[in-house]
Amino acid sequence: MVGVGPGDPELMTYKAIKVLEASPVWIAPKAKKNGSSSALHIAAGMVSMDGKEILELHFPMKKVRLNHNADPELVSSWKDAAQKVINHLESGIDVAFPTLGDPALYSTAFYLLAALREQCTSLKVTIVPGITAMAACSAKIGNPLGLGDDVVTIVPAAFDDERLRDILATFDAVVLMKVYKKMARVVELLDEMNLTDKAVLIERCGLPDQKIYTDVRAAVDKELHYFSTLLIRKKEVVL
Ligand SMILES: C[S@@+](CC[C@H](N)C(=O)[O-])C[C@H]1O[C@@H](n2cnc3c(N)ncnc32)[C@H](O)[C@@H]1O
């Protein structure tokens, strides 16, 4: 499981590059059946794919609620991917799974890992952490994620209004992931809570077409890219 960072290949770690170089097979996730893998695209910006076997596997974008049964189509995509990994490993071939940002944060990597562990108990897995999108976004706008006694929370924007309202009221800083189709609703909530001026939206952070919305209302009627993260900080940094 190799975190490849949030888009700019130069944000890949040395370790990620080394592991990808050494792996003859890469299995990369893609969200759309006919689309391509963002993680693969990022990895290819730093490591040559010449001579490698590359498999892009489709993992449908469906909501997962932990401790509830996941959509059967999704479960079968995890199990099929695990089987493909195991087939290679049983032939003595190492497999790398490049994944966007860090594998530990809202990534398919850990579902795949669970499916792998279910099918094969003697598996040796290395997890290579990556730079998260929120770290890159925070760096880009020059504002910390958490400082002093801040309590920071990270939330997928698909939460319902009531839960989001509670979270926005409770925490000092909030990272909203996957906001691309939710901005109208989120800005309405921010307005209601007088937090609109505390929010910054970063779209395609670190990529040539990156956009930063310091006025998040301007993003409401835009067709935003999936790579969009909203950072909300209530407190200023004062000395
Ligand atoms: C499935 S999550 C993956 C998160 C990733 N594992 C990480 O460590 O950041 C996808 C979300 O990450 C955020 N994201 C990923 N790349 C981004 C980028 N270059 N700019 C802004 N947000 C990004 C967006 O919120 C997107 O909807």
Side-chain angles (χ1 to χ4, degrees), residues 6 100-102 105-106 132-133 177-178 202 205 226-229:
L100 182 64
D102 181 82
L105 198 65
Y106 302 115
T132 58
M177 319 275 299
K178 306 183 186 177
I202 304 97
C205 183
Y226 175 62
F227 284 13
S228 295
T229 299

Side-chain angles (χ1 to χ4, degrees), residues 5-8 42 61 99-108 130-137 155 175-180 201-207 210 225-230:
D8 175 355
I42 298 165
M61 283 229 241
T99 185
L100 182 64
D102 181 82
L105 198 65
Y106 302 115
S107 159
T108 307
I131 293 182
T132 58
M134 64 181 171
C137 290
V155 185
V175 177
L176 273 183
M177 319 275 299
K178 306 183 186 177
V179 278
Y180 68 129
L201 178 76
I202 304 97
E203 184 184 18
R204 293 184 59 78
C205 183
L207 294 157
Q210 159 190 290
H225 191 271
Y226 175 62
F227 284 13
S228 295
T229 299
L230 190 71

Side-chain angles (χ1 to χ4, degrees), residues 52-110:
K52 298 201 183 288
E53 184 183 337
I54 307 288
L55 216 56
E56 287 181 78
L57 298 185
H58 173 230
F59 297 93
M61 283 229 241
K62 306 228 175 191
K63 230 188 255 182
V64 179
R65 291 181 65 204
L66 294 181
N67 298 329
H68 290 71
N69 289 336
D71 183 287
E73 195 193 346
L74 202 46
V75 175
S76 90
S77 73
W78 297 332
K79 291 194 172 179
D80 289 353
Q83 193 53 60
K84 289 192 169 74
V85 174
I86 289 167
N87 292 346
H88 280 102
L89 296 181
E90 284 178 346
S91 320
I93 301 168
D94 281 342
V95 179
F97 184 82
T99 185
L100 182 64
D102 181 82
L105 198 65
Y106 302 115
S107 159
T108 307
F110 272 83

